[in-house]
Amino acid sequence: LDGEMQERRRLEQENTGLKKDLAAKPEPAPEPTKVAEAAPPAPTTMPDLGPDVQVEQRDNMIVLTISSDVLFDSGESSLKTTAKKTLDKVVAEIKKQYPNKQIRVAGFTDQDPIKSSNYKSNYHLGFDRAYNVAKYLETKGIDKNMLERLSFGPEQLKKTKKASRRVEIAIVND
């Protein structure tokens, strides 16, 4: 026990001496801070893209909804000439704000059965619409490997038939 007490006193004296030495040392000058050259944080909103594009934040995505009436003739999947003007605004913002983000293009329809077009079902029509929108985005410089095409057909109906017929372009913010 005496040996342990002597060792404790020795350590306490050593500790006291170290504290004095530390207190006598001048403080080192702070190192200059380097300005981080990190990319700015990804925006979480989009500017107003006009009356044809509704923008909303949903989970980890920014979702742009465009009525099918703006993009296509009834029962068709070929883009209207006027639709390209709307899509050009969308592409410009995606390329500007989200150049490396995954883009999901989904086609939706109403629940009315297909009668007079070449499509077997609303799912087929929804997919062709999503495919053609995605193809257009690709021709305008969106990387095809960042594009995903989906069809929900009549699965996610809105309050009206007109609102149900739409294409959603979702920018995934992992």
Side-chain angles (χ1 to χ4, degrees), residues 53-126:
V53 181
Q54 285 70 51
V55 180
E56 68 179 293
Q57 183 78 35
R58 197 183 304 157
D59 299 323
N60 67 335
M61 300 178 289
I62 294 173
V63 180
L64 312 174
T65 303
I66 307 169
S67 168
S68 69
D69 295 348
V70 171
L71 300 172
F72 312 100
D73 288 324
S74 179
E76 298 296 324
S77 65
S78 297
L79 288 170
K80 291 180 179 179
T81 305
T82 54
K84 295 174 181 179
K85 185 176 170 183
T86 299
L87 290 174
D88 288 344
K89 289 185 219 174
V90 169
V91 168
E93 285 304 317
I94 290 173
K95 288 169 69 174
K96 178 179 164 185
Q97 295 190 55
Y98 305 97
N100 300 312
K101 294 291 185 183
Q102 187 72 30
I103 309 293
R104 291 184 186 147
V105 182
F108 298 83
T109 65
D110 60 30
Q111 60 189 5
D112 290 349
I114 299 287
K115 293 177 187 169
S116 60
S117 73
N118 297 326
Y119 296 99
K120 294 179 185 177
S121 72
N122 281 312
Y123 293 100
H124 291 90
L125 175 59

